[in-house]
């Protein structure tokens, strides 16, 4: 039950109160779009200083400032808390789909919403009615119209099985652990060994593997001991049992470790990048970071060197050698610059620190002060800030003259702006 417990606890951790306004900021009339502590898909978080609510970008209030803590919207729904112990779920119109009566609620999955009541787990439907009474010791979200649950089996014992969206138990509860279905198969554990269960309750892959990790919709790693092979849902290994670690697939490549070195395999099991590196990243734009010793570089999905493995990583800011807005932050001799997808230098090594590009701009430090550059390396906002952050939802926070302020993508100050002109104008 260990893994289901971990899954459940991770869900429960998401239920815990989260105050999104850890630092109180004075909001003034200069803020054009109101208090956007969090701005998600056209809905903004609002605050009266201690309680939170929501409004649309046009200013229409959809929920008054009555909640002690709020999450951000996930699609059409947001978790809210009346106090530290009572949570519920609202929709984009501010209606409480699940009333604020429970210590924990989840987000919709297959038309069901998990909630906790008196230390038991049940599910609501999308109309705000209890669809499955709280009766499970532990439970997971639904995937493919099934959810893993932990049920009592008598004499103080319990075991895992699966339920459907009506709450019916589908198979005898005989598993030590169970993980969500994926493309018609679910990892299950019996007698401390992993196998794959099909939708009829049969073990399509016998429970004889000590380790198992699901990687994408049709691939998983499993092994009889600490060493794993890549499988697809033919249930036959595509590689030898030689890997002791595997990441998730991205852009058709999966990071693996063999004999203490890292490389990548493709979906056919071919080691497209040999396991020769001391560290690897995750593919984005067909590129990823690699490290050999203390030096970094960039490769493509076939292992071709895009940027020679001879660069540094000493300054703390940013995710170096990973692409954002088609540019990667790189470092040499204590200075940072940016390269394009072909490894060509677009921004020379001028800057002492910097962040990755976001929304077409990057915060960088020059001669001890921060400013912003565009993707051509041109100064967009001057180097006048004590601190500057990356842009998110069209806003970035800066410290100017010792005070926290906020700037928009046009370079205009939009919070705490008394006596400040548009910073963008200073570069003209």
């Amino acid at each position: 039950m260990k893994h289901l417990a971990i899954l459940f606890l991770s869900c429960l951790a998401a239920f815990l109160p989260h105050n999104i306004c850890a630092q109180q900021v004075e909001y003034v009339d200069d803020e054009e779009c109101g208090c956007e502590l969090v701005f998600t898909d056209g809905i903004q978080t609002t605050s009266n200083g201690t309680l939170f609510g929501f409004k649309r970008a046009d200013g229409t209030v959809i929920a008054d400032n009555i909640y002690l803590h709020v999450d951000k919207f996930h699609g059409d729904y947001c978790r809210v808390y009346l106090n530290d112990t009572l949570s519920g779920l609202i929709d984009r119109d501010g209606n409480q789909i699940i009333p604020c009566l429970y210590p924990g609620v989840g987000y919709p999955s297959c038309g069901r919403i998990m909630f906790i009541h008196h230390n038991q787990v049940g599910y609501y439907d999308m109309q705000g009615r209890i669809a499955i009474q709280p009766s499970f010791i532990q439970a997971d979200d639904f995937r493919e119209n099934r959810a893993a649950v932990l049920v009592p089996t008598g004499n103080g014992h319990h075991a895992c099985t699966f339920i459907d969206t009506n709450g019916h138990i589908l198979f005898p509860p005989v598993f030590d652990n169970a993980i969500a279905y994926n493309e018609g198969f679910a990892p299950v554990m019996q007698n401390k060994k992993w196998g794959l269960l099909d939708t009829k309750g049969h073990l399509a892959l016998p429970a004889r593997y000590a380790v198992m990790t699901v990687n994408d919709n049709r691939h998983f790693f499993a092994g009889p001991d600490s060493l794993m092979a890549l499988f697809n849902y033919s249930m036959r290994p595509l590689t030898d049992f030689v890997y002791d670690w595997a990441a998730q697939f991205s852009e058709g490549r999966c990071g693996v470790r063999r004999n203490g070195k890292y490389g990548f395999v493709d979906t056919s099991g071919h080691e497209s990048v040999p396991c020769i590196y001391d560290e690897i990243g995750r593919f984005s734009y067909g590129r990823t970071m690699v490290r050999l010793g203390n030096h970094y570089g960039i490769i493509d999905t076939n292992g071709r060197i895009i940027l020679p493995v001879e660069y540094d990583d000493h300054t703390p800011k940013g995710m170096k050698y990973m692409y954002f807005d088609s540019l990667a932050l790189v470092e040499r001799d204590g200075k940072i610059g940016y390269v394009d997808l072909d490894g060509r230098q677009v921004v020379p090594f001028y800057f002492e620190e910097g962040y990755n590009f976001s929304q077409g701009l990057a915060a960088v430090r020059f001669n001890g002060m921060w400013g912003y550059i565009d993707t051509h390396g041109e100064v967009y906002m001057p180097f006048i800030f004590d601190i500057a952050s990356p842009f998110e939802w069209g806003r970035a926070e800066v410290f100017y003259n010792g005070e926290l302020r906020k700037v928009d993508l046009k370079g205009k100050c939009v919070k705490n702006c008394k006596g400040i002109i548009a910073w963008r104008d200073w570069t003209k």
Side-chain angles (χ1 to χ4, degrees):
M1 193 58 207
K2 180 180 178 182
H3 284 224
L4 180 57
I6 291 173
L7 287 175
F8 181 79
L9 289 173
S10 68
C11 292
L12 185 59
F15 297 155
L16 297 177
H18 173 58
N19 189 329
I20 63 168
C21 190
Q23 182 174 355
Q24 294 298 319
V25 178
E26 178 188 357
Y27 294 97
V28 297
D29 293 338
D30 290 7
E31 174 57 81
E32 291 179 328
C33 64
C35 169
E36 31 52 285
L37 298 176
V38 172
F39 186 99
T40 307
D41 295 335
I43 292 181
Q44 301 167 238
T45 307
T46 62
S47 172
N48 64 7
T50 58
L51 299 177
F52 298 88
F54 296 93
K55 68 179 179 181
R56 295 193 178 94
D58 63 6
T60 303
V61 174
I62 63 173
D64 293 328
N65 296 324
I66 63 173
Y67 298 110
L68 182 62
H69 310 283
V70 297
D71 199 353
K72 66 179 180 180
F73 269 84
H74 294 252
D76 293 332
Y77 302 94
C78 182
R79 192 160 43 226
V80 293
Y81 302 82
L82 279 180
N83 54 42
D84 287 335
T85 59
L86 297 179
S87 64
L89 195 73
I90 65 171
D91 64 15
R92 292 177 69 87
D93 293 320
N95 301 315
Q96 287 191 12
I97 301 301
I98 297 183
C100 290
L101 298 173
Y102 306 108
V105 298
Y107 282 99
S109 61
C110 300
R112 296 292 180 262
I113 307 167
M114 185 167 54
F115 73 101
I116 301 171
H117 184 56
H118 294 319
N119 295 319
Q120 301 247 301
V121 183
Y123 298 85
Y124 269 78
D125 64 18
M126 301 304 295
Q127 288 71 48
R129 301 178 299 235
I130 294 179
I132 302 173
Q133 291 293 330
S135 56
F136 305 108
I137 302 169
Q138 295 180 5
D140 204 355
D141 287 328
F142 277 89
R143 286 277 302 272
E144 301 182 9
N145 294 315
R146 295 171 175 81
V149 295
L150 180 67
V151 297
T153 56
N155 298 322
H157 298 289
H158 49 260
C160 291
T161 184
F162 290 87
I163 60 171
D164 63 18
T165 53
N166 294 315
H168 299 142
I169 292 179
L170 297 174
F171 317 122
V174 296
F175 305 110
D176 306 321
N177 198 348
I179 299 177
Y181 271 88
N182 183 36
E183 292 284 322
F185 298 98
V188 292
M189 177 183 281
Q190 282 186 308
N191 299 319
K192 300 182 180 180
K193 297 290 185 179
W194 287 97
L196 285 180
L197 193 72
D198 66 17
T199 56
K200 296 181 179 179
H202 302 141
L203 283 171
L205 184 72
R208 62 190 182 197
Y209 295 96
V211 290
M212 176 175 288
T213 174
V214 177
N215 285 71
D216 68 1
N217 286 345
R218 295 187 175 276
H219 293 86
F220 62 95
F221 280 83
D225 48 37
S226 61
L227 297 179
M228 304 179 294
L230 175 67
F231 289 72
N232 62 16
Y233 283 162
S234 69
M235 306 304 166
R236 295 180 180 178
L238 302 177
T239 68
D240 294 332
F241 293 90
V242 294
Y243 302 110
D244 64 2
W245 175 86
Q248 297 292 308
F249 272 94
S250 66
E251 301 189 1
R253 299 292 187 269
C254 175
V256 291
R257 182 174 63 199
R258 176 165 54 87
N259 297 327
K261 296 289 186 177
Y262 295 86
F264 290 89
V265 296
D266 62 22
T267 55
S268 68
H270 171 63
E271 202 168 278
S272 56
V273 178
C275 291
I276 60 174
Y277 293 105
D278 297 312
E279 185 181 356
I280 55 176
R282 182 179 175 87
F283 277 102
S284 175
Y285 295 92
R287 309 287 188 266
T288 190
M289 174 274 294
V290 292
R291 176 176 65 85
L292 278 173
N294 294 323
H295 294 104
Y296 294 76
I298 298 172
I299 63 170
D300 68 11
T301 54
N302 295 315
R304 182 173 66 93
I305 298 293
I306 301 298
L307 186 73
V309 187
E310 56 187 35
Y311 290 81
D312 307 318
D313 187 8
H314 301 302
T315 59
K317 301 290 191 294
M319 295 176 59
K320 296 185 182 64
Y321 309 101
M322 303 295 289
Y323 282 90
F324 298 83
D325 287 357
S326 299
L327 295 174
L329 188 160
V330 300
E331 178 187 340
R332 171 173 278 174
D333 298 328
K335 299 288 187 179
I336 68 154
Y338 298 82
V339 298
D340 65 14
L341 292 171
D342 294 317
R344 294 187 296 250
Q345 190 176 68
V346 174
V347 180
F349 294 95
Y350 285 155
F351 305 107
E352 295 133 18
E353 285 187 277
Y355 287 96
N356 301 103
F357 274 90
S358 173
Q359 299 190 266
L361 297 174
V364 291
R365 183 165 66 91
F366 181 69
N367 285 340
M369 302 298 288
W370 288 81
Y372 290 89
I373 60 172
D374 62 21
T375 54
H376 301 291
E378 298 293 330
V379 176
Y380 189 81
M381 277 180 268
F383 298 96
I384 57 174
F385 305 116
D386 303 309
I387 301 174
S389 72
F391 274 89
E392 185 177 10
W393 302 110
R395 298 290 188 269
E397 290 184 337
V398 296
F399 270 87
Y400 178 70
N401 288 343
E403 292 189 7
L404 178 64
R405 308 171 192 271
K406 187 161 280 195
V407 61
D408 67 12
L409 286 167
K410 296 179 181 180
K412 179 181 178 182
C413 177
V414 291
K415 278 183 188 168
N416 297 351
C417 301
K418 185 176 180 180
I420 297 176
I421 66 172
W423 286 308
R424 175 78 182 101
D425 294 338
W426 294 14
T427 63
K428 296 178 180 178

